[in-house]
Every structure is written in C-alpha cells, then in structure tokens.
Amino acid sequence: MPTDLLQQIEETISSFRAEIDARLSEWLGARRPSEFRGVELGLAGLGRALCDALMGILLGMIVNEAEFQAKAVAAAQETRRLRNGGAREVTVTFLGGSKAGVRVPYLRPDRRGLRGRRRGCGRRGRGGAGLYPTLEALGIWAGVSPALAGEVVRQVADSEAVRPAREALSRRGINLGQKQTLRIVNKFGLRAVDQREEWLRDASSAAPSPGPLSGRRVVIGTDGGRTRIRKPSRGRRRNNGHRRYDAPWKEPKIIVIYLIDAQGHPLREFRPVYDGTMGDCDAVFAMLVGYLKALGAAHAAQLIVVADGAKWIWNRVPEIADALGLSSSKICQVLDWFHAVETLHSIADIPSKSNISPHRRAKWIKHAKKLLHSGRINDLLAHIRTLAVGRRAKKINRYLAYFEKNETRMQYSTFQIQKIPLGSGAVESTVRRVVNMRLKSNSKFWYEENAESMLLLRSYLKAGRFDDLFDWSICTAVSWWCSESSPIREPDRQESSLTILDVGQRVRLRNRGYSRWRAWGLERDEKGRQIS
C-alpha cells in the first residue's frame, strides 16, 4: 500500500473528525423535530463529502499510475488512429456532488494522411473525437463518475419528467444543470440503444444455445401503448422564434418474458425481461426472437404466448417457432380471457334497451361466458346468433370471425387444468408502467430517438435490471479495455437476499419458523437465535 495514499486518506478522515467536533455541540442541542432532522441531513452531507474526498484521492492515485496509463493508452490506440495530445486537466464530479481535478493524458484523432477539410467548429471530421483513455477505462465520461451517471439516468427514467428528477437529485447533493443532465441521459440512452441493437443482431444470427430459459416454462407477450412524436413541419417560425412541428400519436411496442412453475406461478428467482421499441410489428418480433435465442428459449420445455386479439401478433407467432426451431407441440397460444369477455359485453350492448332488458342481458352474458370458458366455441357462435335479428344482425355477425379464428386459443378450461395463464395482465401492466406513466401525455412531445432510448431505460428499470444494463453498456462502450457478454444476467444464487432486508422483514421471517430461516441460508443455535 503506497505511503502517500494512506497519508492522504488519514488527513481526509482527520478533517472529517475535526468538522464533527466543531459541530457536535450544536447537534447535541437539537430538541425539536425540525432541528433533529437538520442534524441528520447535515451529517449525511458530511458523509457524502467524505466519500467524494476519498474517491478523489483514489482516482488521482489510479490515473497517475504509470503502468495503468501505458496499458490504457496502448489499448485505445489499437482500436483507431489516435496520437498523443499531451496531458490535460479534467474536472470529475462524484456521487456526492463534490468535484475533483485530475491531470490525465489525452489522445486526439490522427488525421495525418486523411483527405478532406480539417476540423472546424462543430465538426469532428473523419477521424472522430479524441478521448481520455485512463478516465474512459474507469467508466468516467461527460465529466461525471459512473456511479453519478447511473444515478442521474436512473432518476430521470424513474421520474415523470426531468425537473422532478433534478429536484430529487439535489436533495442528495447532486446539483447538475438542465443541459448537463439531459446530455448525460441522452448520451447514455442513445448509446445503449445502439449497443442493444448490435447485441440482438448477433444473438439472432447465432446458433441457439442453452440459457436461463432452457428447460423452463416461458411466457411471452407483447402489446402497444401510445405516445406523441415530435416532427418538424414547414412554415415560418413562431413569434417566439421556435420552429413549428407536428405531434402525431405513435404506438410504442413492449415485450415481456417471464417464467412460471408447474403450478402456473411466476418464478421470483428469475426477474422478468422487459423491453420496447418505436419500430413496427416486424421490429418488435425481431427483438423478441433475439432475446429468446440469447436466453436459451430454443431449449425451453414450453413456450406460452399470451396476448389480445391483435392479428399482427398471432400472424407472426409461427416466425418465432421457425427461428427457435421449436415444434408446434411446445408452443401454446392463449388469447387473453378478459379481452374475449369484453368482446361478449360489446356484442350484448348492440341490441337497444327496448329489445333486451338488463336481466336478460346479464343472463345472456353469463351463459356466453360459460360456453367460452369451456371451449365450446360452436355453441357460443349459435348463442351469439340469437341476438343477430333485424337491423343489428350485420353488426353482430362481424364478431363471429373473432371467435372462429381464435377457437384454439380459447380453450380456457384446458389451459386452467394445465396451469397456463389465461390473461395478459403482465404485458398490460408493463405498458402502463413503462409507457403510459412516462411517455404518454398530451403535453409531452418526443423525438423518436429519445423515446426509443427512454423505452429501453424505463423497461430495464421496471424489470429490476437497470444496474445490469448500465454496467453492460459502460463496459461495452470501452470494448478496447473490457467487455460484457449480455445485459441480461442471471441472479447470483449464492448471495443472500437478507443483506437488504429491514428489521420488519426479519421479524416476519422469524415468525414463520426455523425452516424459512434455513431456506435463506441462516443458522440458529439450540435456542433458535440467529448465529451471526
């Protein structure tokens, strides 16, 4: 351990202790709730400042190491033409909001021998942009540490807008400007989308291989939401100088992949996979095939497709089977039960109130639901035709094809016996949380590329996989230094989940008995007390 490093750390801790000693008498005088709250917030701020100071010392020690500098520079120069640009002073902002300056080597593009204009204002030229190899090797970009960048991107993706996200960050001492916040989020999001597309292309073209979905019962679903896309329009500028634009509605499409056990219950140890795209129907199914092949769905015990009655979904299910090489016996198609029942209600609403009483209507729907659940579609069609009388016959007969074409997907009693989900609630809920609560609003107008990146960030966040995506993306961005194989990681079964449980959860587990504690990998003594 370097002596200088230990000395700098000790000096920093001594300053922290001195600050505590100077304010201790003030803290001890807190006798009101607001005062005690201020003490806690002040101490938390000191803790963040201490962590940032230690990170600054560690960063300076790492980037000044000669061997690390040489390896990082050599690795970066192997990817493209770069030459020495000297050493430059760079300011890095850490997770607690503090800043530290470091002097690191800079590599600029080597344009010698390249034809064309030299770089001008706003033009990178054919050689591209330069880079700081030692900082990028550590995941530092846009002047912020990787931990800070991750928190900024996560908070913006989780909030309903950028302003409340910045307010939440400022309460933790992170005070970034509007432009810097958007620059971090947009740069990471757009880059992550490009990386995901390349990963999916490689996965789709590769041969099927085993994965976390192998030998499991896999449930997949897809559906669409709504958001408004900003497109420039012709015409003079507005009086305030802004350009005119149109904002038509467009349908973002979401995919969901999760596992169920033999009883039809979701497997909690496998976090679901959510993702979305602003592309068309073919794009979303290409994405779905890429994920399924990458995760080993070609070796799945059963593939269950649950969706509503949209034709664009069911017409492309055979493409998934062909791409994965699965036999038709392993694929089960289920039309959402609640959409089918909703169709029955729509049919019952066609006759006017003078022709059918509420009691008769309720009785008709009850019998129709029994026929639908038992899979007796022919009897159900005959039951529907009883309402097709007179002028309303044409409207009612339009619904007959809906049940005729989806007869095999409506064997709900059989599905229930086989412990197969009857509803598409998983994908409906995902559309609401990913699209409707973040992208859909009359006052929000998205550029399509930004909406695509927000779909990716929001999907992984709501699936509990944001950290996996962030680590994979920042490592893939510096593939000349390190690499990550996949943004979808299996959970570490060796790690105990009790490390993040609070006291209340521990008490509830204790009340459930010794067997549950053993299931978490904990030990007790002869009196039932936990052994640390």
Side-chain angles (χ1 to χ4, degrees), residues 279-299:
D280 56 10
C281 306
D282 295 329
V284 71
F285 268 83
M287 173 185 293
L288 186 58
V289 169
Y291 273 105
L292 292 175
K293 292 188 71 173
L295 299 177
H299 304 278

PDB file of all heavy atoms in Angstrom, residues 279-299:
ATOM      1  N   GLY A 279     -40.292   0.880 -33.276  1.00  0.00           N
ATOM      2  CA  GLY A 279     -40.394   0.320 -34.615  1.00  0.00           C
ATOM      3  C   GLY A 279     -41.753  -0.302 -34.881  1.00  0.00           C
ATOM      4  O   GLY A 279     -42.670  -0.271 -34.056  1.00  0.00           O
ATOM      5  N   ASP A 280     -41.861  -0.947 -36.056  1.00  0.00           N
ATOM      6  CA  ASP A 280     -43.121  -1.549 -36.459  1.00  0.00           C
ATOM      7  C   ASP A 280     -43.260  -2.951 -35.887  1.00  0.00           C
ATOM      8  O   ASP A 280     -42.475  -3.378 -35.021  1.00  0.00           O
ATOM      9  CB  ASP A 280     -43.229  -1.568 -37.988  1.00  0.00           C
ATOM     10  CG  ASP A 280     -42.048  -2.275 -38.641  1.00  0.00           C
ATOM     11  OD1 ASP A 280     -41.245  -2.915 -37.923  1.00  0.00           O
ATOM     12  OD2 ASP A 280     -41.931  -2.198 -39.877  1.00  0.00           O
ATOM     13  N   CYS A 281     -44.245  -3.690 -36.389  1.00  0.00           N
ATOM     14  CA  CYS A 281     -44.519  -5.038 -35.878  1.00  0.00           C
ATOM     15  C   CYS A 281     -43.347  -5.979 -36.125  1.00  0.00           C
ATOM     16  O   CYS A 281     -43.014  -6.805 -35.263  1.00  0.00           O
ATOM     17  CB  CYS A 281     -45.788  -5.580 -36.518  1.00  0.00           C
ATOM     18  SG  CYS A 281     -47.223  -4.511 -36.333  1.00  0.00           S
ATOM     19  N   ASP A 282     -42.742  -5.879 -37.295  1.00  0.00           N
ATOM     20  CA  ASP A 282     -41.603  -6.747 -37.596  1.00  0.00           C
ATOM     21  C   ASP A 282     -40.427  -6.454 -36.669  1.00  0.00           C
ATOM     22  O   ASP A 282     -39.694  -7.361 -36.270  1.00  0.00           O
ATOM     23  CB  ASP A 282     -41.175  -6.574 -39.052  1.00  0.00           C
ATOM     24  CG  ASP A 282     -42.250  -7.040 -40.031  1.00  0.00           C
ATOM     25  OD1 ASP A 282     -42.995  -7.981 -39.670  1.00  0.00           O
ATOM     26  OD2 ASP A 282     -42.341  -6.470 -41.131  1.00  0.00           O
ATOM     27  N   ALA A 283     -40.244  -5.182 -36.319  1.00  0.00           N
ATOM     28  CA  ALA A 283     -39.127  -4.815 -35.442  1.00  0.00           C
ATOM     29  C   ALA A 283     -39.302  -5.400 -34.049  1.00  0.00           C
ATOM     30  O   ALA A 283     -38.344  -5.899 -33.448  1.00  0.00           O
ATOM     31  CB  ALA A 283     -38.994  -3.298 -35.378  1.00  0.00           C
ATOM     32  N   VAL A 284     -40.519  -5.348 -33.505  1.00  0.00           N
ATOM     33  CA  VAL A 284     -40.727  -5.858 -32.153  1.00  0.00           C
ATOM     34  C   VAL A 284     -40.584  -7.381 -32.123  1.00  0.00           C
ATOM     35  O   VAL A 284     -40.073  -7.945 -31.151  1.00  0.00           O
ATOM     36  CB  VAL A 284     -42.088  -5.400 -31.606  1.00  0.00           C
ATOM     37  CG1 VAL A 284     -43.232  -6.097 -32.297  1.00  0.00           C
ATOM     38  CG2 VAL A 284     -42.178  -5.643 -30.110  1.00  0.00           C
ATOM     39  N   PHE A 285     -40.996  -8.076 -33.182  1.00  0.00           N
ATOM     40  CA  PHE A 285     -40.836  -9.527 -33.185  1.00  0.00           C
ATOM     41  C   PHE A 285     -39.387  -9.927 -33.441  1.00  0.00           C
ATOM     42  O   PHE A 285     -38.936 -10.962 -32.938  1.00  0.00           O
ATOM     43  CB  PHE A 285     -41.763 -10.161 -34.223  1.00  0.00           C
ATOM     44  CG  PHE A 285     -43.091 -10.556 -33.649  1.00  0.00           C
ATOM     45  CD1 PHE A 285     -44.102  -9.640 -33.503  1.00  0.00           C
ATOM     46  CD2 PHE A 285     -43.310 -11.844 -33.200  1.00  0.00           C
ATOM     47  CE1 PHE A 285     -45.324  -9.986 -32.952  1.00  0.00           C
ATOM     48  CE2 PHE A 285     -44.519 -12.214 -32.645  1.00  0.00           C
ATOM     49  CZ  PHE A 285     -45.531 -11.284 -32.520  1.00  0.00           C
ATOM     50  N   ALA A 286     -38.645  -9.126 -34.201  1.00  0.00           N
ATOM     51  CA  ALA A 286     -37.217  -9.387 -34.342  1.00  0.00           C
ATOM     52  C   ALA A 286     -36.514  -9.224 -33.000  1.00  0.00           C
ATOM     53  O   ALA A 286     -35.617 -10.000 -32.643  1.00  0.00           O
ATOM     54  CB  ALA A 286     -36.619  -8.446 -35.387  1.00  0.00           C
ATOM     55  N   MET A 287     -36.918  -8.217 -32.222  1.00  0.00           N
ATOM     56  CA  MET A 287     -36.377  -8.035 -30.879  1.00  0.00           C
ATOM     57  C   MET A 287     -36.724  -9.221 -29.991  1.00  0.00           C
ATOM     58  O   MET A 287     -35.877  -9.726 -29.238  1.00  0.00           O
ATOM     59  CB  MET A 287     -36.910  -6.741 -30.272  1.00  0.00           C
ATOM     60  CG  MET A 287     -36.549  -6.531 -28.810  1.00  0.00           C
ATOM     61  SD  MET A 287     -37.329  -5.061 -28.124  1.00  0.00           S
ATOM     62  CE  MET A 287     -36.480  -3.791 -29.053  1.00  0.00           C
ATOM     63  N   LEU A 288     -37.969  -9.679 -30.070  1.00  0.00           N
ATOM     64  CA  LEU A 288     -38.405 -10.800 -29.247  1.00  0.00           C
ATOM     65  C   LEU A 288     -37.624 -12.066 -29.582  1.00  0.00           C
ATOM     66  O   LEU A 288     -37.194 -12.805 -28.680  1.00  0.00           O
ATOM     67  CB  LEU A 288     -39.903 -11.021 -29.448  1.00  0.00           C
ATOM     68  CG  LEU A 288     -40.585 -12.064 -28.563  1.00  0.00           C
ATOM     69  CD1 LEU A 288     -40.395 -11.727 -27.094  1.00  0.00           C
ATOM     70  CD2 LEU A 288     -42.070 -12.142 -28.903  1.00  0.00           C
ATOM     71  N   VAL A 289     -37.401 -12.320 -30.862  1.00  0.00           N
ATOM     72  CA  VAL A 289     -36.631 -13.500 -31.269  1.00  0.00           C
ATOM     73  C   VAL A 289     -35.198 -13.400 -30.767  1.00  0.00           C
ATOM     74  O   VAL A 289     -34.612 -14.388 -30.305  1.00  0.00           O
ATOM     75  CB  VAL A 289     -36.667 -13.657 -32.799  1.00  0.00           C
ATOM     76  CG1 VAL A 289     -35.665 -14.702 -33.273  1.00  0.00           C
ATOM     77  CG2 VAL A 289     -38.069 -14.038 -33.261  1.00  0.00           C
ATOM     78  N   GLY A 290     -34.610 -12.203 -30.844  1.00  0.00           N
ATOM     79  CA  GLY A 290     -33.247 -12.035 -30.361  1.00  0.00           C
ATOM     80  C   GLY A 290     -33.111 -12.338 -28.885  1.00  0.00           C
ATOM     81  O   GLY A 290     -32.174 -13.030 -28.464  1.00  0.00           O
ATOM     82  N   TYR A 291     -34.034 -11.842 -28.071  1.00  0.00           N
ATOM     83  CA  TYR A 291     -33.990 -12.122 -26.633  1.00  0.00           C
ATOM     84  C   TYR A 291     -34.196 -13.615 -26.358  1.00  0.00           C
ATOM     85  O   TYR A 291     -33.506 -14.202 -25.512  1.00  0.00           O
ATOM     86  CB  TYR A 291     -35.060 -11.304 -25.909  1.00  0.00           C
ATOM     87  CG  TYR A 291     -34.604  -9.930 -25.503  1.00  0.00           C
ATOM     88  CD1 TYR A 291     -35.026  -8.803 -26.202  1.00  0.00           C
ATOM     89  CD2 TYR A 291     -33.761  -9.739 -24.415  1.00  0.00           C
ATOM     90  CE1 TYR A 291     -34.619  -7.522 -25.827  1.00  0.00           C
ATOM     91  CE2 TYR A 291     -33.355  -8.474 -24.038  1.00  0.00           C
ATOM     92  CZ  TYR A 291     -33.777  -7.365 -24.746  1.00  0.00           C
ATOM     93  OH  TYR A 291     -33.363  -6.113 -24.368  1.00  0.00           O
ATOM     94  N   LEU A 292     -35.144 -14.224 -27.043  1.00  0.00           N
ATOM     95  CA  LEU A 292     -35.430 -15.634 -26.790  1.00  0.00           C
ATOM     96  C   LEU A 292     -34.235 -16.517 -27.163  1.00  0.00           C
ATOM     97  O   LEU A 292     -33.897 -17.458 -26.429  1.00  0.00           O
ATOM     98  CB  LEU A 292     -36.672 -16.057 -27.570  1.00  0.00           C
ATOM     99  CG  LEU A 292     -38.002 -15.441 -27.100  1.00  0.00           C
ATOM    100  CD1 LEU A 292     -39.132 -15.850 -28.021  1.00  0.00           C
ATOM    101  CD2 LEU A 292     -38.309 -15.853 -25.667  1.00  0.00           C
ATOM    102  N   LYS A 293     -33.589 -16.221 -28.273  1.00  0.00           N
ATOM    103  CA  LYS A 293     -32.429 -17.017 -28.666  1.00  0.00           C
ATOM    104  C   LYS A 293     -31.258 -16.784 -27.722  1.00  0.00           C
ATOM    105  O   LYS A 293     -30.522 -17.717 -27.381  1.00  0.00           O
ATOM    106  CB  LYS A 293     -32.024 -16.690 -30.105  1.00  0.00           C
ATOM    107  CG  LYS A 293     -33.034 -17.138 -31.152  1.00  0.00           C
ATOM    108  CD  LYS A 293     -32.492 -16.972 -32.563  1.00  0.00           C
ATOM    109  CE  LYS A 293     -31.397 -17.986 -32.855  1.00  0.00           C
ATOM    110  NZ  LYS A 293     -30.978 -17.934 -34.266  1.00  0.00           N
ATOM    111  N   ALA A 294     -31.065 -15.534 -27.286  1.00  0.00           N
ATOM    112  CA  ALA A 294     -29.950 -15.237 -26.388  1.00  0.00           C
ATOM    113  C   ALA A 294     -30.124 -15.880 -25.025  1.00  0.00           C
ATOM    114  O   ALA A 294     -29.143 -16.240 -24.366  1.00  0.00           O
ATOM    115  CB  ALA A 294     -29.781 -13.724 -26.244  1.00  0.00           C
ATOM    116  N   LEU A 295     -31.364 -16.045 -24.585  1.00  0.00           N
ATOM    117  CA  LEU A 295     -31.641 -16.585 -23.252  1.00  0.00           C
ATOM    118  C   LEU A 295     -31.913 -18.082 -23.252  1.00  0.00           C
ATOM    119  O   LEU A 295     -32.234 -18.648 -22.203  1.00  0.00           O
ATOM    120  CB  LEU A 295     -32.833 -15.847 -22.631  1.00  0.00           C
ATOM    121  CG  LEU A 295     -32.652 -14.341 -22.431  1.00  0.00           C
ATOM    122  CD1 LEU A 295     -33.929 -13.718 -21.890  1.00  0.00           C
ATOM    123  CD2 LEU A 295     -31.488 -14.054 -21.498  1.00  0.00           C
ATOM    124  N   GLY A 296     -31.814 -18.731 -24.402  1.00  0.00           N
ATOM    125  CA  GLY A 296     -31.938 -20.185 -24.443  1.00  0.00           C
ATOM    126  C   GLY A 296     -33.359 -20.694 -24.536  1.00  0.00           C
ATOM    127  O   GLY A 296     -33.632 -21.833 -24.126  1.00  0.00           O
ATOM    128  N   ALA A 297     -34.277 -19.896 -25.093  1.00  0.00           N
ATOM    129  CA  ALA A 297     -35.655 -20.351 -25.217  1.00  0.00           C
ATOM    130  C   ALA A 297     -35.807 -21.465 -26.241  1.00  0.00           C
ATOM    131  O   ALA A 297     -36.839 -22.143 -26.259  1.00  0.00           O
ATOM    132  CB  ALA A 297     -36.568 -19.185 -25.594  1.00  0.00           C
ATOM    133  N   ALA A 298     -34.796 -21.671 -27.096  1.00  0.00           N
ATOM    134  CA  ALA A 298     -34.868 -22.772 -28.053  1.00  0.00           C
ATOM    135  C   ALA A 298     -34.888 -24.121 -27.355  1.00  0.00           C
ATOM    136  O   ALA A 298     -35.328 -25.122 -27.944  1.00  0.00           O
ATOM    137  CB  ALA A 298     -33.686 -22.697 -29.022  1.00  0.00           C
ATOM    138  N   HIS A 299     -34.424 -24.171 -26.108  1.00  0.00           N
ATOM    139  CA  HIS A 299     -34.412 -25.410 -25.335  1.00  0.00           C
ATOM    140  C   HIS A 299     -35.450 -25.365 -24.215  1.00  0.00           C
ATOM    141  O   HIS A 299     -35.337 -26.110 -23.235  1.00  0.00           O
ATOM    142  CB  HIS A 299     -33.025 -25.646 -24.746  1.00  0.00           C
ATOM    143  CG  HIS A 299     -31.933 -25.674 -25.767  1.00  0.00           C
ATOM    144  ND1 HIS A 299     -31.631 -26.793 -26.507  1.00  0.00           N
ATOM    145  CD2 HIS A 299     -31.070 -24.696 -26.191  1.00  0.00           C
ATOM    146  CE1 HIS A 299     -30.628 -26.522 -27.332  1.00  0.00           C
ATOM    147  NE2 HIS A 299     -30.266 -25.254 -27.161  1.00  0.00           N
TER     148      HIS A 299
END
